[in-house]
Amino acid sequence: MPKAQLQYLADELQKLREQGLYQKLRILEGEQLPVARFDGRQVINLSSNNYLGLNTHPKLKQRALEAIQKYGVGSGAVRTIAGTMSIHMELEEKIAQFKRTEAAVVFQSGFTANAGTVSAILGREDVIISDELNHASIIDGCRLSRAEIRRFPHKDVEACEKILKEIAGHKGHKLLITDGVFSMDGDIAPLPQLVKLAEEYGCIMMIDDAHASGVLGRNGRGSVDHFNLHGRVDIQVGTLSKAIGALGGYVCSTRDAIEFLYHRARPFLFSTSHPPSVAATCIAAFELLDEEPELVEQLWANTRFFKEGLARLGFNTGVSETPITPIIVGDAALAHQFSRELFEAGVFAQGIGYPTVPVGKARLRTIVTATHTQEKLSRALEILESIAKKLKIL
Ligand SMILES: Cc1ncc(COP(=O)(O)O)c(C=O)c1O
């Protein structure tokens, strides 16, 4: 029986059901593979962020097991008390080397890396200039910082400059922040232009490369490498949960900025550090990126193949330039129905509606990985076509 004081939550859920927006969690039975078993059904999996297939890579599994044997299963404390293990430091050095920055710090997730960093480095007297489609973790970090937030229309460099001119006399710090690859549309930020503006107007330049690391740049080094902007982006965030295959987030910057975060970033200070097995897994993943650049090449070959197929069928895939390819249908209830029927037919592509994307821009979000075969991608395209025609989306 619902408790009277929680009845309003049950009412809200009921509304979602009536609007066709209620979403059941899909349960993955087994490993996160390109063909995987969810809710008892074998499906072609177009929904994971496992870009390079590292979630299940034998080398990473082996390193995790060895770390458990050597260090145990947990770190036992927050980083600033007794929870900084040598393997955490080793991972941070590895990341800094990979990203070609002075230093790096690892957080428990990409979410806490963004939210914890923005809220730590800025305060009430500062201004944040933020792309309107930046990730929720950036938005939460901006709110937590209490700085003034000025949003510019998506990728609109001119509008961004207009804001910078308006606040030119501002006394506080200014942070210009953007996702490197936008997580719902798969497009790439105009980083060279934004970096130029940041330099011209004296802003801290920060980028969230959650979907660019392991995907863009040489060996998957991310957007800064992709655009050859080394040394010109002050703070780079990345995640260990997507292409890297495990869990966590990281921030790369100067040694001083990183040490400042040790002292002021609340998730770093007040939440326990990673199990050593996760750190070991991530070190192995960065080694693999250096040793096997063909993983990233295969990801892009599959991406081109799948995108060409979607375009041939006439789907609206928006402005995507990366392995994240939305199939935009507009209405949220229709997107969820499309997703449900696809699932029954053997393809898992998550339906996404408001508030994750704007009203009227509901979609399926698809991601191919390096480990999909082109045969399975062709089969997915056939199924997408037949269900879309049935629902009059095509
Ligand atoms: C752009 C972006 N930034 C940050 C995150 C958060 O990363 P994590 O899942 O590691 O918390 C995500 C993913 O969910 C994301 O898409």
Side-chain angles (χ1 to χ4, degrees):
M1 274 297 280
K3 286 189 168 182
Q5 60 271 35
L6 294 180
Q7 183 56 45
Y8 73 104
L9 301 179
D11 296 344
E12 287 298 320
L13 275 180
Q14 186 51 27
K15 272 192 225 155
L16 291 180
R17 285 192 191 94
E18 285 160 12
Q19 294 161 358
L21 302 179
Y22 178 84
Q23 252 187 295
K24 199 171 134 316
L25 299 180
R26 294 238 176 258
I27 313 291
L28 171 61
E29 297 152 14
E31 294 185 315
Q32 186 70 267
L33 294 170
V35 179
R37 202 173 173 79
F38 286 87
D39 294 341
R41 188 179 287 277
Q42 193 84 348
V43 286
I44 301 169
N45 181 3
L46 299 179
S47 288
S48 89
N49 298 310
N50 184 19
Y51 288 104
L52 303 174
L54 300 192
N55 281 176
T56 54
H57 196 286
K59 179 172 173 181
L60 274 64
K61 288 184 183 177
Q62 184 57 34
R63 293 283 277 276
L65 289 170
E66 286 165 13
I68 289 175
Q69 291 298 349
K70 190 165 172 193
Y71 300 108
V73 296
S75 73
V78 300
R79 291 285 300 271
T80 47
I81 300 186
T84 295
M85 302 174 91
S86 53
I87 199 155
H88 294 136
M89 300 309 289
E90 199 186 318
L91 172 60
E92 288 170 348
E93 274 163 34
K94 185 89 202 158
I95 294 171
Q97 260 172 26
F98 183 74
K99 289 280 182 173
R100 310 230 192 288
T101 59
E102 227 175 87
V105 57
V106 169
F107 284 70
Q108 298 80 357
S109 68
F111 196 105
T112 53
N114 271 327
T117 299
V118 176
S119 58
I121 64 171
L122 298 175
R124 241 183 244 289
E125 53 299 326
D126 302 324
V127 186
I128 299 167
I129 307 98
S130 175
D131 187 291
E132 64 177 349
L133 294 190
N134 277 344
H135 189 256
S137 52
I138 293 179
I139 297 170
D140 285 10
C142 294
R143 289 177 182 157
L144 281 169
S145 75
R146 302 199 181 119
E148 186 188 342
I149 302 165
R150 301 288 302 266
R151 295 193 319 163
F152 58 93
H154 183 47
K155 288 177 57 167
D156 188 336
V157 176
E158 270 178 33
C160 175
E161 180 160 24
K162 192 161 167 272
I163 295 173
L164 290 169
K165 282 194 173 134
E166 280 166 22
I167 59 169
H170 191 86
K171 295 275 178 293
H173 305 288
K174 289 175 254 180
L175 174 75
L176 177 49
I177 185 161
T178 184
D179 280 8
V181 169
F182 289 85
S183 58
M184 292 299 138
D185 291 281
D187 51 344
I188 300 174
L191 198 57
Q193 295 92 316
L194 293 178
V195 164
K196 196 161 163 280
L197 285 182
E199 288 170 347
E200 226 171 293
Y201 290 87
C203 302
I204 303 164
M205 182 74 226
M206 176 165 169
I207 184 164
D208 170 12
D209 245 0
H211 288 281
S213 297
V215 175
L216 291 181
R218 283 165 301 162
N219 304 73
R221 281 189 162 71
S223 328
V224 171
D225 191 80
H226 173 74
F227 286 116
N228 199 15
L229 294 168
H230 289 287
R232 296 176 64 191
V233 174
D234 301 299
I235 302 175
Q236 296 181 55
V237 166
T239 169
L240 302 166
S241 336
K242 303 185 195 300
I244 298 303
L247 177 72
Y250 56 86
V251 183
C252 297
S253 189
T254 59
R255 166 65 52 204
D256 287 344
I258 297 306
E259 296 228 1
F260 177 85
L261 293 176
Y262 289 174
H263 292 83
R264 287 287 179 274
R266 291 169 71 82
F268 184 86
L269 287 160
F270 298 114
S271 185
T272 297
S273 52
H274 273 137
S277 53
V278 172
T281 306
C282 296
I283 293 169
F286 284 105
E287 286 170 7
L288 263 184
L289 286 180
D290 275 334
E291 288 160 10
E292 294 183 28
E294 53 276 14
L295 274 172
V296 181
E297 284 157 24
Q298 188 57 44
L299 170 67
W300 279 97
N302 284 349
T303 298
R304 283 189 292 274
F305 179 81
F306 191 63
K307 277 188 192 306
E308 277 161 23
L310 290 173
R312 212 173 30 249
L313 293 172
F315 281 112
N316 173 5
T317 56
V319 288
S320 168
E321 303 165 81
T322 66
I324 300 174
T325 309
I327 299 177
I328 300 170
V329 303
D331 178 65
L334 180 60
H336 289 302
Q337 187 187 359
F338 191 17
S339 174
R340 275 194 303 274
E341 297 210 15
L342 281 172
F343 189 79
E344 295 301 313
V347 170
F348 180 18
Q350 187 68 50
I352 305 213
Y354 181 81
T356 312
V357 295
V359 175
K361 293 273 177 76
R363 64 198 58 195
L364 299 181
R365 178 171 179 265
T366 70
I367 299 188
V368 299
T369 70
T371 48
H372 282 92
T373 62
Q374 296 201 346
E375 182 214 336
K376 289 295 176 200
L377 292 176
S378 297
R379 180 70 193 126
L381 288 165
E382 280 168 19
I383 296 173
L384 277 158
E385 180 182 18
S386 85
I387 304 292
K389 283 191 170 151
K390 180 179 159 209
L391 297 178
K392 306 209 173 345
I393 291 165
L394 278 183

